[in-house]
Amino acid sequence: AQRVTQPEKLLSVFKGAPVELKCNYSYSGSPELFWYVQYSRQRLQLLLRHISRESIKGFTADLNKGETSFHLKKPFAQEEDSAMYYCALKLSSGNTPLVFGKGTRLSVIA
Amino acid sequence: EPEVTQTPSHQVTQMGQEVILRCVPISNHLYFYWYRQILGQKVEFLVSFYNNEISEKSEIFDDQFSVERPDGSNFTLKIRSTKLEDSAMYFCASSSTGGDTEAFFGQGTRLTVV
């Protein structure tokens, strides 16, 4: 079965410090990986997906198939980055559901 | 910007009662989903719906659950006889296609079973 692991429930960093939110997955095929973010009192929204290979709000994530990881990184954290971050996996293409990790709460301290 | 709308935002119900959670997906979307999140746990898939039928469901989605698209806009989740363990945040989502396109989520309905 597919599984997404986010080992940290809470990550606190100082403003301006680098951030890395870890995500590992288990799936034998070729998954599609996503990061969703939920700001306080807002809905879940897509932050980025591995196939687009883009940087959103300064965040990047590289799919490492050898390590089955999709860590989310930002070189300089901002206070407005404080939120819940969910790593999610989808089975290749087609109408398949997202499998979520438990989420990591990022707290950026001024 | 179009968004997925869920009502009510909070529902309190007595154990054994039926509840209907409502969702209005984005108007040109074809794929619809329900997820739930028990407090402190991860977001879990319940069911996906396409072309007026269930395309996939999880083990959680047993006979107590049903989904319906009664008209061209609403997408509902019904729980026939609620249990205490059904207390959770329920999220509706929709996407334009089922592939790698973005799933847009509603703000959620918090269901509390007492």
Side-chain angles (χ1 to χ4, degrees):
Chain A
Q2 312 81 35
R3 191 164 60 242
V4 177
T5 304
Q6 293 180 251
E8 303 136 330
K9 282 183 78 169
L10 172 66
L11 184 64
S12 296
V13 300
F14 285 103
K15 179 181 169 183
V19 174
E20 183 178 51
L21 299 168
K22 291 186 171 25
C23 172
N24 288 88
Y25 66 91
S26 62
Y27 175 55
S28 56
S30 292
E32 295 176 10
L33 275 298
F34 304 80
W35 277 99
Y36 277 79
V37 60
Q38 189 173 30
Y39 300 103
S40 179
R41 296 191 185 85
Q42 294 187 30
R43 64 192 66 206
L44 270 167
Q45 54 187 279
L46 179 67
L47 181 62
L48 52 79
R49 68 193 92 177
H50 89 269
I51 57 165
S52 55
R53 302 182 68 82
E54 55 192 347
S55 172
I56 304 291
K57 299 184 179 183
F59 285 97
T60 58
D62 290 316
L63 179 61
N64 185 322
K65 290 186 178 180
E67 295 181 0
T68 59
S69 68
F70 188 56
H71 303 326
L72 184 68
K73 300 177 185 178
K74 184 170 182 176
F76 308 104
Q78 304 298 314
E79 287 179 76
E80 55 265 29
D81 296 329
S82 296
M84 277 297 287
Y85 290 81
Y86 295 94
C87 182
L89 171 156
K90 213 170 193 235
L91 308 183
S92 58
S93 57
N95 182 23
T96 57
L98 291 161
V99 176
F100 285 89
K102 289 188 175 183
T104 297
R105 179 169 297 283
L106 175 64
S107 177
V108 181
I109 306 160
Chain B
E1 188 176 321
E3 55 185 30
V4 176
T5 307
Q6 289 184 242
T7 54
S9 56
H10 191 187
Q11 173 93 46
V12 181
T13 189
Q14 288 206 319
M15 194 168 54
Q17 294 296 303
E18 174 184 286
V19 292
I20 297 176
L21 309 182
R22 300 180 194 281
C23 169
V24 179
I26 294 173
S27 62
N28 62 343
H29 283 186
L30 302 175
Y31 294 83
F32 314 113
Y33 310 86
W34 282 101
Y35 292 83
R36 80 169 185 192
Q37 186 177 29
I38 294 170
L39 188 63
Q41 298 187 26
K42 64 181 177 181
V43 178
E44 300 173 291
F45 167 72
L46 292 178
V47 66
S48 57
F49 192 86
Y50 169 71
N51 200 25
N52 281 320
E53 59 183 27
I54 290 173
S55 46
E56 191 166 345
K57 59 183 181 179
S58 71
E59 294 171 354
I60 303 166
F61 195 87
D62 60 23
D63 292 345
Q64 292 299 310
F65 292 88
S66 62
V67 288
E68 201 177 33
R69 191 154 158 80
D71 51 42
S73 58
N74 288 285
F75 178 51
T76 61
L77 174 70
K78 183 195 288 187
I79 309 175
R80 263 181 265 287
S81 177
T82 50
K83 303 187 282 284
L84 295 176
E85 53 265 36
D86 293 327
S87 296
M89 195 76 166
Y90 288 80
F91 294 104
C92 174
S94 69
S95 63
S96 55
T97 70
D100 60 0
T101 55
E102 177 179 354
F104 290 81
F105 283 80
Q107 77 277 27
T109 293
R110 180 167 297 286
L111 176 65
T112 303
V113 183
V114 296

